[in-house]
Amino acid sequence: MLYGPVGAGKSSFVNSADSALRGRIAGRAQTDAISGSSHTKEYKTYKIEKDDKSYYPFVFNDIMGLERNANNGVHVDDIILALKGHVKEGFTFNPFTKMSTDYYYYNSNPSLDDKVHVMVCVIPADSVSLINEKILDKFKQVRAAATELGIPQMAILTKVDQACPEVKRDINNLHKSKYLKEQVEKFSYLLGLPVNCIFLLKNYESEIDTSNEISVPILAALKQMVNYGEDYLNDH
């Protein structure tokens, strides 16, 4: 499951992983670059198709973005319900109230398949120093719930090209940038995630073709997600 503030690049990462695996630009997860509010309203699951028409053995769950205002963005309690597998596909998030147990989209008897196996925080690399205290508090609530449930956690810092001019000039400077290294360390300190669980990458957003330089960091993060998911399944 991908979670994070509005505009962080959650849906874009779904498209980017799809693009990197299929070798062509994909855009199944709809995004909105200008509204300033979460474009994702429903709890949605994405599969990625292989060339032989079968699917890769993992799915992405995309949710509404977090906002600092209590009356906007996804309700923290709904994220926690989703972690536990209680939220059905197609549920429309309501910032004003959490899902009730008698609602149609409430899954009262979740299977292991329904539960979240890996929780991934998504945040723009140029926003780490600007994280609002209320957003950070929501991060910590979600993280505490995932920890209690034994769900592995990691993070991806997106929009690295917007955060660092060196990387914008040449994506190969991604892991040479002192600034981005500092952002990883800062986010590690803020959220309590180990540095080796935080990945830097650029989503496919303006590109019309895929490239190894952009795809490799995306696939490295995806590989870790799959590894963590296997660890969770082995433990449960």
Side-chain angles (χ1 to χ4, degrees):
M1 186 179 77
L2 307 174
Y3 81 105
V6 168
K10 299 179 295 298
S11 300
S12 292
F13 179 76
V14 174
N15 289 333
S16 296
D18 195 347
S19 301
L21 287 169
R22 300 175 76 182
R24 64 170 178 81
I25 298 298
R28 291 162 55 228
Q30 295 186 10
T31 61
D32 186 351
I34 60 174
S35 72
S37 61
S38 182
H39 191 69
T40 302
K41 308 295 184 185
E42 295 183 355
Y43 191 59
K44 182 130 179 104
T45 300
Y46 292 95
K47 300 177 181 179
I48 298 180
E49 190 175 16
K50 296 181 180 180
D51 291 337
D52 62 2
K53 303 304 179 182
S54 63
Y55 291 92
Y56 285 96
F58 60 84
V59 298
F60 291 111
N61 289 328
D62 194 13
I63 65 172
M64 190 179 201
L66 286 163
E67 296 191 39
R68 60 184 176 182
N69 190 323
N71 294 328
N72 296 98
V74 62
H75 201 290
V76 169
D77 287 343
D78 282 342
I79 299 179
I80 296 172
L81 286 175
L83 292 176
K84 297 177 179 179
H86 290 302
V87 180
K88 293 181 181 178
E89 173 93 3
F91 168 66
T92 300
F93 294 99
N94 184 344
F96 297 99
T97 180
K98 66 178 181 179
M99 179 194 284
S100 61
T101 56
D102 59 351
Y103 192 52
Y104 171 79
Y105 285 100
Y106 182 85
N107 181 5
S108 59
N109 189 28
S111 66
L112 184 58
D113 270 354
D114 297 322
K115 298 175 182 179
V116 170
H117 302 161
V118 185
M119 191 179 73
V120 183
C121 181
V122 184
I123 188 165
D126 59 353
S127 299
V128 172
S129 301
L130 305 173
I131 298 178
N132 180 275
E133 195 65 37
K134 292 181 179 178
I135 290 283
L136 185 59
D137 183 59
K138 291 180 179 181
F139 278 173
K140 290 179 177 178
Q141 289 180 56
V142 174
R143 177 157 155 68
T147 299
E148 187 175 337
L149 294 167
I151 299 174
Q153 301 158 50
M154 55 182 285
I156 53 177
L157 302 191
T158 60
K159 304 185 180 182
V160 291
D161 54 326
Q162 296 180 29
C164 179
E166 296 174 14
V167 175
K168 186 172 185 178
R169 185 170 60 252
D170 185 352
I171 190 66
N172 291 309
N173 290 325
L174 181 61
H175 293 292
K176 300 175 185 176
S177 169
K178 292 181 180 179
Y179 175 78
L180 291 178
K181 183 175 182 292
E182 289 172 357
Q183 300 316 298
V184 168
E185 292 171 348
K186 186 173 293 184
F187 193 62
S188 171
Y189 173 77
L190 288 173
L191 203 59
L193 276 175
V195 168
N196 64 358
C197 293
I198 303 173
F199 289 74
L200 293 164
L201 57 86
K202 169 180 165 42
N203 283 326
Y204 283 109
E205 292 175 325
S206 60
E207 294 75 18
I208 59 174
D209 291 307
T210 59
S211 69
N212 288 339
E213 291 79 8
I214 296 177
S215 290
V216 167
I218 292 169
L219 294 174
L222 181 58
K223 181 181 178 182
Q224 188 72 305
M225 293 175 199
V226 172
N227 288 341
Y228 280 175
E230 289 183 349
D231 290 343
Y232 175 88
L233 290 174
N234 290 335
D235 289 343
H236 292 79

